[in-house]
């Protein structure tokens, strides 16, 4: 394969190059060279300067780390070498041919030019997403990201009164008139008012008599700002979305202005000012749309989860305030703390509640019912706002997790002294505690005491390490991904328990061993790197793996929301391109490697 035409045909079959315009693809092919490697040949080794991105045409490339431990085995249509190129440093891995291998070499200059010129290329080689200014997001957002899919429709002969009743019952402001999926017209509330109520038109007439025929329509890829400008110019409030002459959605001016104005700050403001739980629930119901907006805006995963968690924190504090208004002032100081994903500031579109109460040691038995009522009020309110009850009952409503600070100290001391399986499980949850509302002095000192005691007890940390290895990355045989074998989510990947949780567990172990205070997983790994508790290459690889897996999880959830489904953590790997599956598997291999290192007792510096 030496001719540019042959290179062009092959690259056109490989993602993400298949998204390039024909002229750009031809230019790319002309800048490339084809190189063959015999079995056993080293393409590059640790410390080498990498000058190309390699694309495998046929054959097999094995990638290993500094210790020659296997990282991944790559086949046709996979790329390698981008790690060193993007970091602009010498290779931290070795790539060898394990079979006769044909490759295409894309020069570094061409590679960076593609990333700069084409967002599709940049997204696939930097899974953290483009560094886009949120203020400019609406200029690049397409209308299919904010439209209502599968809009309400009716046949042209439907009586006006039936359409009006349908609009009232479903609380919508328009109905599309269709013949099958072919759009004939649209009727809005304004039409009903102006053409029926104001004129006394009989309500038994067919809806076709008052519809606006052949309304303005746009395609799904039309920019939101362009649609909004059309609406303002033509003084219309509803625009159907057609794809290949088929009705696929509708968007209103309210949808667009809400999308333009909606932010985490707006939801936080509404929650903080809510006077009832129902008002709060109306605000938190916007979180899935916010998730889509933040993902589409190219925000990093840790920013997205932080902003979403801020809403949960605000809801919790507002519920505490409403509870004290109803129950009266607290008899003694207290502190509400979150653990789990809220404690780590890592909430996504799917989050339950994990929380507890620490009480001043002056509390008396006859005052405990007050805190039981307080916990129930807040927990019920969070559930109503979409933060469902913890299936494991790790909530302040459980008397075990509503105790004076002295009891909490005893809890941690006993878990560290006798790390049985239950103690390991409880410690894993409670080491992610973060104060949310109340008297924070009740927690001051306790965290430092616990970290100090835990780091000194080698038996406890060994048990915690063993417990952290119970969640394994979904790696299958023959370079595949291990999916769930049965049940509702058969053939899917669990991006929570087999994706991010193993990394969360590693971050927690680093924090315990290094007496590091952060609760956030990425912050823990970064702190471990800064403290020398993990090797620079191992820590950097783990951060990259975490970024990829966490970003994939959020993009999957955003895609479900766009499709009108509830977000989940279960991803069908067949929906990914070969490129995406290869990189996702590489990330899981990194996690497995780090688990093996810490499980061997060597840490990451041994």
């Amino acid at each position: 394969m030496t001719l540019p035409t042959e290179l062009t045909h092959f690259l056109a079959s490989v993602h993400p190059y298949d998204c390039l315009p024909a002229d750009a693809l031809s230019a790319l092919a002309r800048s490339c060279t084809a190189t063959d490697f015999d079995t056993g040949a080293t393409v590059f080794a640790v410390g080498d300067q990498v000058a190309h991105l390699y694309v495998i045409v046929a054959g097999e490339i094995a990638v290993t780390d500094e210790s020659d431990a296997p990282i991944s085995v790559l086949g046709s249509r996979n790329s390698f070498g981008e790690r060193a190129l993007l970091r602009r440093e010498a290779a931290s891995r070795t790539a060898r041919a394990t079979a006769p291998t044909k490759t295409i070499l894309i020069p570094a200059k061409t590679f960076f030019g593609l990333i700069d010129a084409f967002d599709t290329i940049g997204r696939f080689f930097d899974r953290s997403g483009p560094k886009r200014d949120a203020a400019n997001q609406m200029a690049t957002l397409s209308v299919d990201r904010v439209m209502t899919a599968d809009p309400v429709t009716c046949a042209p002969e439907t009586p006006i009164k039936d359409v009006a009743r349908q609009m009232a019952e479903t609380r919508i402001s328009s109905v599309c008139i269709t013949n099958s999926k072919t759009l004939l017209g649209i009727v809005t509330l304004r039409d009903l008012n102006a053409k029926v109520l104001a004129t006394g038109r009989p309500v038994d007439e067919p809806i076709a008599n008052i519809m606006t025929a052949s309304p303005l329509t746009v395609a799904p890829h039309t920019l939101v700002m362009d649609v909004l400008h059309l609406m303002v110019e033509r003084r219309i409030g509803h625009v159907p979305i057609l794809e290949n002459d088929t009705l696929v959605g509708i968007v209103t001016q309210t949808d667009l202005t809400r999308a333009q104005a909606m932010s985490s700050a707006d939801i936080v403001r509404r929650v903080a000012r809510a006077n009832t739980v129902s008002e709060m629930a109306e605000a938190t119901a916007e979180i899935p749309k916010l998730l889509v907006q933040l993902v589409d805006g190219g925000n990093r995963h840790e920013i997205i989860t932080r902003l979403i968690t801020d809403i949960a924190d605000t809801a919790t504090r507002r519920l505490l305030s409403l509870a004290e208004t109803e129950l009266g002032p607290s008899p003694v100081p207290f502190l509400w703390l979150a653990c789990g994903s809220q404690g780590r500031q890592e909430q996504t579109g799917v989050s339950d509640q994990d929380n507890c109460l620490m009480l001043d040691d002056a509390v008396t038995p006859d005052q405990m019912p007050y805190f039981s009522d307080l916990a129930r009020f807040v927990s019920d309110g969070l559930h109503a706002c979409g933060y469902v009850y913890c299936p494991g009952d790790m909530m302040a409503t459980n008397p075990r997790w509503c105790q004076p600070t002295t009891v909490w100290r005893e809890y941690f001391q006993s878990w560290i002294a006798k790390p049985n399986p239950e103690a390991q499980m409880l410690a894993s949850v409670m080491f992610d505690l973060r104060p949310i509302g109340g008297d924070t002095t009740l927690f001051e000192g306790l965290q430092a005491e616990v970290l100090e005691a835990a780091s000194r007890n080698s038996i406890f940390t060994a048990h915690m390490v063993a417990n952290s290895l119970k969640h394994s990355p979904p790696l299958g045989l023959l370079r595949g991904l291990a999916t769930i074998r049965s049940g509702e989510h058969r053939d899917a990947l669990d991006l929570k328990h087999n994706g991010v949780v193993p990394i969360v567990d590693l971050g927690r172990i680093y924090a315990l061993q290094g007496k590091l205070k952060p609760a956030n997983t990425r912050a823990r790994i970064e702190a471990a790197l800064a403290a020398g508790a993990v090797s620079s290459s191992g820590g950097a690889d783990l951060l990259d793996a975490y970024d990829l897996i966490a970003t994939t999880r959020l993009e999957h959830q955003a895609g479900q929301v766009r499709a009108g489904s509830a977000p989940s953590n279960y991803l069908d790997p067949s929906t990914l391109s070969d490129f995406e599956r290869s990189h996702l598997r590489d990330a899981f291999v990194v996690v497995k490697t780090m688990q093996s290192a810490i499980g061997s007792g060597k840490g990451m510096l041994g």
Side-chain angles (χ1 to χ4, degrees):
M1 178 183 292
T2 56
L3 297 176
T5 300
E6 296 178 33
L7 295 179
T8 300
H9 288 162
F10 177 76
L11 289 171
S13 70
V14 179
H15 199 66
Y17 314 107
D18 57 350
C19 296
L20 292 175
D23 57 345
L25 191 62
S26 297
L28 169 61
R30 289 194 298 272
S31 71
C32 296
T33 55
T35 301
D36 295 348
F37 294 94
D38 295 331
T39 301
T42 297
V43 182
F44 56 76
V46 173
D48 288 349
Q49 293 298 318
V50 178
H52 301 86
L53 176 73
Y54 298 82
V55 182
I56 303 172
V57 177
E60 190 174 81
I61 295 290
V63 181
T64 57
D65 65 12
E66 303 102 314
S67 303
D68 214 29
I71 294 293
S72 62
V73 179
L74 306 175
S76 177
R77 291 179 168 77
N78 290 150
S79 300
F80 63 98
E82 73 274 9
R83 180 179 298 269
L85 289 175
L86 290 170
R87 291 180 177 177
R88 290 174 169 80
E89 60 185 27
S92 61
R93 297 177 175 183
T94 296
R96 295 188 184 92
T98 53
T101 302
K102 296 180 179 295
T103 64
I104 294 174
L105 278 59
I106 302 177
K109 182 178 179 180
T110 302
F111 174 62
F112 286 117
L114 289 172
I115 288 177
D116 291 339
F118 299 99
D119 187 56
T120 302
I121 307 294
R123 277 183 176 271
F124 277 92
F125 284 101
D126 180 3
R127 298 290 293 175
S128 63
K131 308 303 183 286
R132 195 180 307 163
D133 189 332
N136 295 326
Q137 177 187 330
M138 298 301 292
T140 58
L141 187 65
S142 57
V143 74
D144 61 335
R145 300 303 177 89
V146 298
M147 73 180 187
T148 298
D150 298 320
V152 175
T153 63
C154 71
E157 64 272 15
T158 306
I160 293 172
K161 63 181 180 181
D162 291 349
V163 176
R165 183 181 301 110
Q166 185 179 29
M167 292 172 70
E169 290 175 350
T170 55
R171 296 184 179 183
I172 56 175
S173 57
S174 66
V175 169
C176 291
I177 318 304
T178 60
N179 179 9
S180 184
K181 280 288 185 177
T182 301
L183 180 68
L184 303 176
I186 187 171
V187 169
T188 67
L189 285 176
R190 186 167 64 179
D191 293 325
L192 292 176
N193 288 329
K195 299 177 181 179
V196 181
L197 291 178
T199 63
R201 182 189 293 268
V203 295
D204 291 327
E205 286 188 23
I207 194 68
N209 290 0
I210 67 165
M211 73 179 184
T212 300
S214 303
L216 170 72
T217 64
V218 297
H221 62 266
T222 308
L223 295 181
V224 162
M225 290 305 298
D226 288 344
V227 179
L228 186 56
H229 292 165
L230 285 171
M231 287 180 164
V232 172
E233 179 185 353
R234 303 194 184 190
R235 299 184 181 181
I236 56 176
H238 305 76
V239 175
I241 313 300
L242 299 187
E243 185 168 29
N244 298 325
D245 297 324
T246 298
L247 179 67
V248 295
I250 192 167
V251 67
T252 69
Q253 193 170 119
T254 301
D255 293 332
L256 300 189
T257 53
R258 182 187 296 120
Q260 189 175 23
M262 187 177 65
S263 67
S264 58
D266 178 60
I267 299 177
V268 164
R269 177 187 58 78
R270 292 169 58 192
V271 168
R273 296 180 182 180
N275 292 313
T276 65
V277 172
S278 60
E279 288 180 7
M280 294 175 60
E282 287 180 7
T284 56
E286 300 289 340
I287 289 177
K289 293 181 181 178
L290 174 67
L291 170 65
V292 172
Q293 181 172 316
L294 292 172
V295 169
D296 288 345
N299 295 281
R300 291 183 59 87
H301 69 89
E302 69 270 23
I303 300 299
I304 296 174
T305 55
R306 171 66 179 268
L307 294 175
I308 290 176
T309 304
D310 285 347
I311 298 171
D313 291 354
T314 303
T316 304
R317 286 189 286 268
R318 184 56 183 154
L319 287 165
L320 287 169
S321 176
L322 292 175
E324 290 196 84
T325 298
E326 180 169 312
L327 302 173
S330 170
V332 298
F334 70 88
L335 177 62
W336 185 283
L337 302 101
C339 43
S341 60
Q342 185 182 0
R344 297 189 305 273
Q345 296 179 300
E346 294 167 3
Q347 288 191 316
T348 66
V350 187
S351 297
D352 58 7
Q353 52 177 292
D354 299 280
N355 46 60
C356 63
L357 269 170
M358 287 186 181
L359 311 177
D360 190 282
D361 285 335
V363 67
T364 59
D366 62 311
Q367 293 171 334
M368 292 302 291
Y370 173 92
F371 293 104
S372 177
D373 292 341
L374 177 79
R376 175 55 58 193
F377 184 98
V378 176
S379 183
D380 287 350
L382 289 172
H383 183 79
C385 290
Y387 306 101
V388 298
Y389 300 124
C390 173
D393 203 21
M394 302 289 289
M395 298 182 294
T397 50
N398 184 337
R400 188 179 186 185
W401 311 127
C402 178
Q403 294 291 336
T405 54
T406 297
V407 174
W408 278 101
R409 279 185 164 82
E410 293 172 354
Y411 282 164
F412 280 105
Q413 289 169 2
S414 65
W415 295 336
I416 294 171
K418 298 178 180 179
N420 56 44
E422 183 191 35
Q424 296 167 36
M425 182 273 292
L426 294 174
S428 293
V429 175
M430 295 302 178
F431 274 122
D432 296 344
L433 285 175
R434 183 172 60 88
I436 303 298
D439 187 350
T440 58
T441 62
L442 297 177
F443 188 65
E444 291 176 2
L446 177 59
Q447 182 187 37
E449 292 173 23
V450 169
L451 288 173
E452 181 66 32
S455 66
R456 289 199 309 266
N457 191 319
S458 58
I459 295 177
F460 171 75
T461 54
H463 279 280
M464 289 295 289
V465 167
N467 185 68
S468 73
L469 302 180
K470 292 180 179 178
H471 294 104
S472 299
L475 293 169
L477 300 174
L478 301 175
R479 305 189 303 278
L481 295 170
T483 58
I484 298 171
R485 295 185 177 181
S486 61
E488 179 185 359
H489 304 295
R490 181 180 178 181
D491 297 329
L493 298 173
D494 185 341
L495 292 178
K496 178 181 178 182
H497 292 101
N498 301 117
V500 298
V501 167
I503 306 172
V504 168
D505 290 341
L506 285 171
R508 187 181 300 112
I509 296 301
Y510 298 151
L512 290 177
Q513 292 180 334
K515 296 182 285 186
L516 307 172
K517 291 185 177 181
N520 176 266
T521 298
R522 203 175 199 285
R524 280 172 166 170
I525 299 172
E526 290 174 338
L529 271 167
V534 62
S535 71
S536 57
S537 60
D541 282 353
L542 186 60
L543 284 174
D544 284 348
Y546 183 43
D547 289 344
L548 175 60
I549 296 168
T551 299
T552 300
R553 181 189 184 197
L554 289 177
E555 289 179 343
H556 167 62
Q557 291 185 1
Q560 290 177 306
V561 174
R562 290 189 210 104
S565 304
S568 77
N569 293 302
Y570 300 100
L571 170 68
D572 180 356
S574 68
T575 62
L576 303 175
S577 68
D578 290 345
F579 185 95
E580 291 172 304
R581 281 196 298 273
S582 174
H583 277 251
L584 191 58
R585 188 182 187 282
D586 282 351
F588 290 141
V589 170
V590 168
V591 178
K592 186 66 176 179
T593 301
M594 300 295 278
Q595 284 184 324
S596 298
I598 204 167
S600 69
K602 298 178 181 179
M604 284 311 297
L605 295 177

